[in-house]
Structure formats: structure tokens, C-alpha cells
Amino acid sequence: MLKKLFQSLRSPKRRTQQLRSTPEVLNSSQHSLQRAQFSRYAVNIVERLQNAGYQAYLVGGCVRDMLLNITPKDFDVATSATPEQVRAEFRNARIIGRRFKLVHIHFGREIIEVATFRANHPQNDEEEDSNQSSRNESGRILRDNVYGTLEEDAQRRDFTINALYYDPVSERILDYANGVHDIRNRLLRLIGDPQQRYQEDPVRMLRAVRFAAKLNFGIEKHTAAPIRELAPMLREIPSARLFEEVLKLFLSGNASDTFEMLVDLELFDPLFPASAEALEHNPTYTHTLISEALRNTDLRIKQGKPVTPAFLFAALLWPALPARVEYLQDRGMPAIPAMQEAAHELIAEQCQRIAIPKRFTMPIREIWDMQERLPRRSGKRADMLLDNPRFRAGYDFLLLRESAGEETNGLGKWWTDYQDANDSGRRDMIRDLSNAKEDGTGPAPRKRRRTSGAKRKRSAAADE
């Protein structure tokens, strides 16, 4: 993946991707798409809108993925009808969004998203209507409800491979930006001037990485060139929006390649600043742990197994945690409270960049907390930990740490054997653990700090 990316960056020349005023039209004999491949609800929406006198097409990712023999996750429709006109045609429609008005049409659990053709924003601030469109000082689009023609809609889309319009009635593809050519050459190319397009919406840099990793495409050299320079603009993006984008990046089955590209294009730092610092100071361990976690995530997704964002974020942030815990312990704080305090601070800082919901931050802290509790196995503690709802996640995380090279004195294997043992075997393991501590072959016991109260008692006894 990175080799392909580097090849795409060789030429220093720069040019702007030009769009045709009239599209290249591909008839049914010139492409592989058939209307039966698409959602019947989406096809029905296109037909009804066309019968009502509007232009309407299937557009974007569903057309792109079908041409690549990938099953689309959803189906989008683009139309000349305004959101209000679409809602008037469908009783099961609902207008959503303020920054970018859309219509969701519900068919049971399936939702078809319908967007009105958009136009580019006025370049002159005096022509800009703040109710329809607005930008901030750096050029980022804050509101995007400037409606336009089909040609204008194609021009303002981000990548050429997403500017393909399929008419299921005539079974034709309208291609305004050589998108079919780029699909055949497995190349990701921005429409328009890359620097301006990234300034309009810095999240497009993350989308470039996501599509390149998902589709195994190279990033065209002019498209990739400004990314490192503009990467800090991601700090301006609302943290809630970045949370959704990060889930798309790492839960699409290509997280490992995505991580490599984010690091190479310097996009990882604006998303995870503390982890990026750990990657700089302890590169081998940090890279190994995160990469291993992401490979496991990709494997589980391919196997159809559930994946929790809590475990994913726990792995992405963990390399930044031990140094903070050690700092608090050096100042006299006991191990478990130090872990809890450091975790609280790290997660609070991270939520300033990516708004991780509480339903995930709580399990993250519990997974980390288990790392401090798992070594404490004497007496009944082992059985109590085994009954803890977070034991499995904590145990898996322990194995992940060991696979990254952390030395735990065989703790992972001990817990693996303990889970497989019967009651008698577990008692023997606890007894062996106690005997090892007594004869000095086991890990040294933790030092317990003396309290000032205990010192006063000993002083009084000495005086007597």
C-alpha cells in the first residue's frame, strides 16, 4: 500500500483536474452494471422522481463499488428536486441536517439518502448568502446548501471515482471526471485544485486515506502533495465529526493499512496527539502494539465477528499511558489510583480532539484498570477477576501487550492455563504462586507505603 502511495508522489508537476461540461455517456453495452444489482427501493425512488419531472440518478459509492464488484453498504440518490420537493413526493421521507440538508427515505430498516444537486460556493464573499452557504477564515465550508445543476454537482464532488451517475431506467453511466478511467487504473484523484478542496473540508484528507486503503488504490501525486502541509487543519474539525470519521477509518476492515498511511501522511498526530508523541519516543513498541491491534480488528471484521470501538481506542491510546502512570507513582501515588488518574487525564485530553462517547470511555478505563489488577492473583482474587465482566477484554489486552514485547513474567500464559484448569488445578496454581513468593522465585511483592498514623503509633510505643 505505501509503495503504491510513494509511486504516486514521484512527479513534482502539478495540474488541476478538469471536468467536462458534457459527460462521457457509457451505454449498457459499455459497462457491467445492471439495475437489478441495486436496491429496489433506490431504483424506485429514481423512477418516481423522474416520473415527477425531476432529474434523478444513483450516485457515488454505490456506483463505484458495483464497478469494482464490491457490495455497497448503502445506496445514494442525487436529484434536481429540493429537499422539500422530495419530501412532498414520499410520505416516508424526513429532512435532516443543517450544514448539508439531505432527505432520508425509510423502507423498514433500509434508508435511502437523497441529496439535491449542489453548486460550488460563490468566490466573492459579498455574493454569499449565509443562510445557504458560509466559510470560515481558512476557507472551510460551514454551510453547504447552494443548489445547482447536474454538471455543477459533479464538479463539486470530492473524487473522480465518486462523480459517477447511474440511471437505472436507461442503464447509462454519466461520467464527468474520467472516474471510470481512474477506477480501471485503481487511482484516487481529487476533482479541482487539491489545496483548495482540502481547505474547504479538511476531512477530505481522511477520506482520501480511507478510500485508498479500502479499495487498494494509489493516491494520485497532486492529490497527495498538499496533505502533510494541511494536516494541522484537522484540529479545526468538530470532535464529534472526527469520531465518526475515525470509526470509518478503523472499522472498515483495512485498519492496518489505514494506520500506516495516516502516519506517513502526518495525519495521525492531529487525531491522536499523545499516541503520536509515544510513537516518536518509543517507535518500535508503539507501532507494534497498535499495528497488532488493528490487524486483529481487520481479521475479526473479515470473519464477521463483533468489534468494539472501546478496545480499539484502548489500544490506540495505551502507548501514551504508562509514562503518565509512572510519573504519578514516582510522586507517591499507589499503582491502581495512579492508573485511574492517568487514564482520566489521557481520555479527557483525547476527547478534545475526538469526542469518544461515555459508553466507550468507561470500558476503555476498565480494560486499562484490569492491566493493574491481573497480576494480583493470590487467595480468591483470581476467581473474582475471572467473574469480572471486563475480564475477557482485559485478558485479550494483556496478550496484545505481550505480543508487542512487554515483559509480564508469563502473566498471559498463567491466565490462559488458569481458565482451562478445573477447580482442583486452579487451587494448585494459586498454591504454587504463594509458594513461589515465599521461596523468592516469584515476583517481588509490591512495597506498601507507611502511613503517618502508623508512624505515630510506633513512636508512642517506643516512648512507653
Side-chain angles (χ1 to χ4, degrees):
M1 175 61 68
L2 288 178
K3 183 178 179 181
K4 185 180 293 186
L5 173 62
F6 294 145
Q7 288 174 344
S8 71
L9 287 169
R10 283 179 181 171
S11 172
K13 295 178 66 177
R14 179 170 176 169
R15 63 180 178 82
T16 298
Q17 170 71 14
Q18 299 294 328
L19 267 80
R20 306 184 189 92
S21 57
T22 57
E24 179 183 358
V25 179
L26 284 76
N27 296 315
S28 57
S29 61
Q30 298 173 286
H31 63 79
S32 60
L33 303 186
Q34 298 178 354
R35 60 178 287 161
Q37 296 174 285
F38 294 85
S39 162
R40 62 189 178 94
Y41 300 120
V43 172
N44 176 260
I45 289 171
V46 170
E47 290 178 334
R48 284 181 60 177
L49 288 172
Q50 288 185 4
N51 291 335
Y54 304 108
Q55 291 177 288
Y57 301 89
L58 291 160
V59 68
C62 63
V63 182
R64 175 200 70 219
D65 288 351
M66 283 295 190
L67 288 171
L68 290 165
N69 295 316
I70 299 172
T71 302
K73 290 196 306 181
D74 45 40
F75 297 87
D76 297 336
V77 173
T79 178
S80 59
T82 65
E84 291 74 20
Q85 289 170 331
V86 174
R87 186 173 59 180
E89 291 292 327
F90 298 91
R91 296 177 60 184
N92 52 335
R94 185 166 65 92
I95 296 176
I96 66 164
R98 295 178 60 186
R99 176 182 175 272
F100 190 95
K101 273 189 179 181
L102 298 167
V103 179
H104 279 180
I105 303 180
H106 296 255
F107 297 91
R109 292 186 177 182
E110 185 171 353
I111 298 175
I112 306 299
E113 190 170 273
V114 181
T116 304
F117 295 151
R118 255 59 174 192
N120 284 319
H121 286 239
Q123 296 301 314
N124 189 340
D125 292 342
E126 295 178 0
E127 299 175 9
E128 196 165 72
D129 182 348
S130 61
N131 292 322
Q132 294 181 327
S133 66
S134 62
R135 306 170 187 253
N136 67 5
E137 295 81 1
S138 62
R140 181 163 64 91
I141 293 176
L142 303 177
R143 192 179 298 273
D144 186 10
N145 291 306
V146 182
Y147 303 135
T149 64
L150 172 58
E151 291 77 12
E152 290 171 326
D153 189 74
Q155 188 174 19
R156 57 156 294 282
R157 289 187 175 269
D158 50 8
F159 301 102
T160 60
I161 61 174
N162 292 336
L164 299 171
Y165 299 78
Y166 176 66
D167 183 353
V169 177
S170 64
E171 296 193 323
R172 299 184 306 166
I173 294 177
L174 306 185
D175 182 359
Y176 282 89
N178 290 322
V180 172
H181 175 271
D182 286 341
I183 285 177
R184 288 170 180 164
N185 287 279
R186 308 193 74 82
L187 196 63
L188 192 72
R189 186 195 311 270
L190 263 176
I191 296 172
D193 177 64
Q195 183 147 344
Q196 178 185 340
R197 301 311 303 276
Y198 291 141
Q199 287 174 338
E200 289 174 350
D201 185 3
V203 169
R204 285 177 179 144
M205 294 184 283
L206 300 181
R207 286 169 60 82
V209 169
R210 176 158 62 90
F211 288 137
K214 172 187 174 181
L215 305 174
N216 193 24
F217 276 27
I219 301 179
E220 187 266 339
K221 53 184 172 291
H222 309 297
T223 299
I227 290 180
R228 293 182 181 87
E229 176 190 348
L230 299 179
M233 292 188 68
L234 285 171
R235 298 188 179 101
E236 302 174 13
I237 301 300
S239 57
R241 186 181 178 205
L242 282 182
F243 172 73
E244 298 298 331
E245 291 299 327
V246 166
L247 290 189
K248 292 176 185 177
L249 283 168
F250 291 122
L251 296 181
S252 298
N254 308 96
S256 182
D257 288 338
T258 297
F259 170 63
E260 300 292 347
M261 295 179 70
L262 288 174
V263 172
D264 177 68
L265 293 171
E266 300 178 17
L267 293 168
F268 188 68
D269 189 345
L271 298 176
F272 298 93
S275 300
E277 186 178 346
L279 187 61
E280 182 179 350
H281 290 106
N282 193 1
T284 302
Y285 169 74
T286 302
H287 187 275
T288 303
L289 185 137
I290 293 178
S291 297
E292 186 67 23
L294 297 178
R295 279 193 291 269
N296 292 340
T297 298
D298 291 340
L299 180 61
R300 291 184 66 86
I301 291 173
K302 286 178 173 61
Q303 293 174 341
K305 295 180 179 179
V307 176
T308 170
F311 193 92
L312 180 67
F313 280 108
L316 286 166
L317 295 173
W318 171 264
L321 186 65
R324 297 179 181 227
V325 175
E326 184 178 356
Y327 171 76
L328 293 174
Q329 285 184 294
D330 289 344
R331 298 184 66 184
M333 189 176 290
I336 291 180
M339 171 71 78
Q340 294 170 342
E341 178 65 22
H344 173 76
E345 291 178 359
L346 178 57
I347 290 174
E349 290 175 14
Q350 181 60 44
C351 285
Q352 298 296 313
R353 295 288 178 88
I354 299 173
I356 308 172
K358 191 174 182 179
R359 67 180 184 276
F360 297 131
T361 58
M362 290 297 291
I364 291 171
R365 295 181 62 175
E366 290 168 353
I367 291 170
W368 289 346
D369 188 56
M370 287 293 292
Q371 306 313 297
E372 194 61 45
R373 296 182 184 276
L374 285 172
R376 302 161 184 261
R377 299 156 283 169
S378 59
K380 297 182 179 179
R381 286 179 176 176
D383 288 333
M384 292 173 64
L385 285 171
L386 206 58
D387 293 335
N388 190 302
R390 295 292 174 197
F391 170 79
R392 184 68 202 189
Y395 164 74
D396 288 342
F397 200 85
L398 170 64
L399 297 184
L400 173 65
R401 290 168 52 210
E402 291 182 339
S403 70
E406 276 196 56
E407 180 54 55
T408 65
N409 294 319
L411 188 60
K413 184 180 186 310
W414 190 94
W415 276 110
T416 301
D417 295 341
Y418 192 78
Q419 292 175 78
D420 295 336
N422 55 26
D423 287 343
S424 175
R426 290 178 179 180
R427 301 290 73 78
D428 291 341
M429 291 180 69
I430 297 296
R431 191 180 307 111
D432 292 342
L433 198 64
S434 300
N435 293 338
K437 287 183 179 180
E438 289 176 3
D439 62 21
T441 59
R446 294 176 178 268
K447 294 181 179 180
R448 189 182 298 270
R449 291 179 61 84
R450 295 177 177 178
T451 63
S452 57
K455 289 180 180 178
R456 285 196 298 270
K457 289 181 179 178
R458 282 191 298 274
S459 178
D463 291 341
E464 291 178 1

